[in-house]
Amino acid sequence: MAFYCGNNGSPYPIASASQPAVPTSTIPSTTGPTSFVIDAFADPNANALGFWHGGDDPATYSISGGRITFSMNGNADLSWYTQLSGSCTDFTPNNNGYLHIAYTGSSAFSVALQQHNPSCNANVAPYPQTWDDVEAGRYSNSANTDIYIPMTHFNIDRSKAIGLAFKGFYERATTTVSRIEI
């Protein structure tokens, strides 16, 4: 392909290709507040923070023995939620941290961080106002046992965080989660 301006053509120089960055198998340590557990599935009605957790269809998940098993059967429209507080939670102190999910089974799902509305009022629509989700499989280790998502990869106002959602389970395989923490 050549572009002409006037009567003379000139070749287009091809840029040299650089080698892509090679990922490492190590993750830098978290900085900021001490890590804390969001959910360890000890209570079927509340998470480790004392707030609600539950899903769109209780028949698609079960909590037992400190674990939750998702059996969404490929229904990507169903979600499961765990609340971070009863209102807005400022997660910006965790900007240099990671959301850690200990799991087994399929990583074919998404994890969303939800943002509350501007007034942090559950009686005012929209609730939640918005969310940003990432594909869990992109952040999983090769053994499929741990997911580490940098908090900055959630593109929301993290000063108004309200909860996490596990959604978009697009495979029929089950996923079992034993811990969610920062």
Side-chain angles (χ1 to χ4, degrees), residues 27-28 34 36 46 54 74 80 94 102-103 122 125 143 146 149 151 156-158 168 172 180:
I27 296 174
T34 305
F36 63 92
W80 182 85
N94 299 295
Y103 82 104
D146 294 283
I149 304 169
M151 292 305 296
I156 65 162
D157 180 353
R158 288 182 296 281
R172 297 185 70 77
I180 303 169

Side-chain angles (χ1 to χ4, degrees), residues 67 100-107 109 136 139-148 175-179 181:
R67 302 184 187 308
H100 172 234
I101 301 164
Y103 82 104
T104 58
S106 174
S107 63
F109 62 94
Y139 298 90
S140 177
N141 64 357
S142 59
N144 289 329
T145 57
D146 294 283
I147 296 166
Y148 288 94
T175 301
T176 300
V177 175
S178 58
R179 192 172 193 87
E181 62 189 349

Side-chain angles (χ1 to χ4, degrees), residues 1-143:
M1 176 184 283
F3 296 99
Y4 294 94
C5 183
N7 295 328
N8 298 326
S10 61
Y12 180 77
I14 298 174
S16 61
S18 62
Q19 294 296 322
V22 177
T24 64
S25 61
T26 59
I27 296 174
S29 60
T30 297
T31 59
T34 305
S35 65
F36 63 92
V37 176
I38 296 169
D39 215 329
F41 310 101
D43 182 337
N45 300 309
N47 63 24
L49 302 174
F51 299 105
W52 177 82
H53 64 188
D56 294 334
D57 182 356
T60 60
Y61 63 90
S62 62
I63 297 175
S64 176
R67 302 184 187 308
I68 184 169
T69 300
F70 298 105
S71 300
M72 301 293 192
N73 294 318
N75 189 338
D77 294 331
L78 297 175
S79 299
W80 182 85
Y81 312 91
T82 189
Q83 297 303 108
L84 301 171
S85 74
S87 185
C88 289
T89 300
D90 185 0
F91 252 52
T92 58
N94 299 295
N95 280 349
N96 293 323
Y98 295 84
L99 176 65
H100 172 234
I101 301 164
Y103 82 104
T104 58
S106 174
S107 63
F109 62 94
S110 296
V111 178
L113 182 60
Q114 299 173 314
Q115 176 185 320
H116 211 317
N117 57 41
S119 61
C120 297
N121 184 343
N123 297 317
V124 175
Y127 171 71
Q129 179 177 347
T130 192
W131 59 89
D132 189 32
D133 59 2
V134 297
E135 281 185 61
R138 292 177 180 241
Y139 298 90
S140 177
N141 64 357
S142 59

